[in-house]
Amino acid sequence: MIIRIWQGWTKPENADAYEKLLKTRIWPEIRAKGIPGLLRIELFRLETPNETEFMTLFRFDNMDSVRLMTGGAAETAYVPECARLVLSRFDHTARHFQTTG
């Protein structure tokens, strides 16, 4: 199994809007693609005084499934324009870990 990790940050006042955008628009659009091997999507949120950090964790069967989501290079971050409008900064690449047991 492949774990794809990506992080983005918002101003505290944009955090709820970004989380809602992920859950009601971006993730449904990804799921609608019917990517074989996409097993699960998880969201982690960390509040700090100056910003809110989000970490997404995607679980895939293999790297081919990751490439189907990104449209090519597996490391390329998937950040639609609507998300860029509320994020203050974000990773431009994602990291991929293989589970070992």
Side-chain angles (χ1 to χ4, degrees):
M1 180 184 309
I2 303 296
I3 307 296
R4 176 183 171 91
I5 298 174
W6 175 89
Q7 293 171 274
W9 293 261
T10 67
K11 294 178 181 176
E13 61 269 20
N14 291 334
D16 289 340
Y18 178 65
E19 184 172 344
K20 182 178 179 181
L21 183 65
L22 280 174
K23 292 178 176 178
T24 64
R25 182 171 170 191
I26 296 171
W27 291 355
E29 288 174 2
I30 291 170
R31 287 187 181 105
K33 293 180 180 185
I35 299 166
L38 173 57
L39 305 173
R40 185 173 177 179
I41 305 172
E42 297 175 75
L43 180 65
F44 301 87
R45 180 173 169 162
L46 176 64
E47 304 282 344
T48 64
N50 298 321
E51 64 184 358
T52 302
E53 179 179 349
F54 290 92
M55 180 173 65
T56 60
L57 210 124
F58 284 69
R59 295 177 189 270
F60 290 94
D61 277 338
N62 55 58
M63 288 303 291
D64 289 336
S65 297
V66 174
R67 288 183 196 92
L68 285 172
M69 184 185 83
T70 63
E75 295 78 21
T76 302
Y78 181 81
V79 188
E81 187 60 34
C82 60
R84 293 171 188 251
L85 295 174
V86 293
L87 290 168
S88 51
R89 61 190 175 101
F90 58 88
D91 291 341
H92 291 272
T93 58
R95 297 175 58 189
H96 301 89
F97 293 80
Q98 193 169 36
T99 58
T100 61

